[in-house]
Amino acid sequence: MGRRIYIEEAGCNRRRLDLTMIKKYLEANDYVLVDSPDGADKILLGTCAFKKLEEDESVARVRGMRKKYGSKLVVYGCLPDIAEERYREFAEIPKVAPKEIEAIEQIFPGGRKSYADFADTNLVGSENSGVLK
């Protein structure tokens, strides 16, 4: 499996913090983050579906990326959870929903570090957040 990953971020601050942890996991396991989807072996596409506008934008982005990059695409974010009906159109695309974020290891196998080894950047005051207790 190729180790060059392009991450396209979208969504709320919470999902962007999740992507920060995913990046740390990937880098710790020798994946290389690249600046362009054209140079990637896999593309992790962030999505949002909090409101209809964001849902529509996410669906359009997934459609466009699927058309251009096909099997390289992996979807992350709330679209598969919040808009299940609409996401069925993309059933062939691997997905990682926020509530099952540890599944990132199945799509991007690590070896040296597991996803659980990283402090949750979403928690203020966690041991590794740099905030004093």
Side-chain angles (χ1 to χ4, degrees):
M1 171 184 184
R3 310 288 287 183
R4 295 170 301 170
I5 311 298
Y6 172 74
I7 298 177
E8 185 169 308
E9 297 183 29
C12 65
N13 288 337
R14 174 77 191 213
R15 299 296 73 90
R16 289 176 190 218
L17 288 170
D18 289 343
L19 286 171
T20 298
M21 283 183 47
I22 290 170
K23 287 177 187 178
K24 288 178 183 178
Y25 163 78
L26 292 170
E27 289 174 331
N29 286 294
D30 299 324
Y31 286 89
V32 177
L33 301 178
V34 296
D35 295 330
S36 166
D38 294 323
D41 299 308
K42 284 284 185 191
I43 298 164
L44 184 61
L45 178 65
T47 64
C48 180
F50 184 68
K51 294 180 183 175
K52 177 95 168 84
L53 176 64
E54 288 90 349
E55 179 182 318
D56 291 344
E57 288 174 357
S58 290
V59 167
R61 285 178 44 246
V62 174
R63 282 180 183 148
M65 293 292 270
R66 176 178 64 182
K67 184 176 182 180
K68 188 168 183 176
Y69 298 104
S71 63
K72 289 183 175 187
L73 192 59
V74 175
V75 170
Y76 170 73
C78 296
L79 182 66
D81 281 345
I82 294 176
E84 286 182 69
E85 289 277 327
R86 291 192 72 189
Y87 193 78
R88 287 188 186 135
E89 172 184 344
F90 311 113
E92 81 283 2
I93 300 174
K95 65 179 171 67
V96 179
K99 65 183 176 186
E100 56 191 34
I101 196 167
E102 291 82 11
I104 199 75
E105 291 184 24
Q106 295 167 5
I107 296 168
F108 301 101
R112 295 186 330 183
K113 294 268 189 176
S114 78
Y115 184 81
D117 290 337
F118 297 91
D120 188 345
T121 56
N122 296 316
L123 298 176
V124 175
S126 70
E127 289 180 28
N128 294 319
S129 70
V131 177
L132 297 176
K133 293 183 180 181

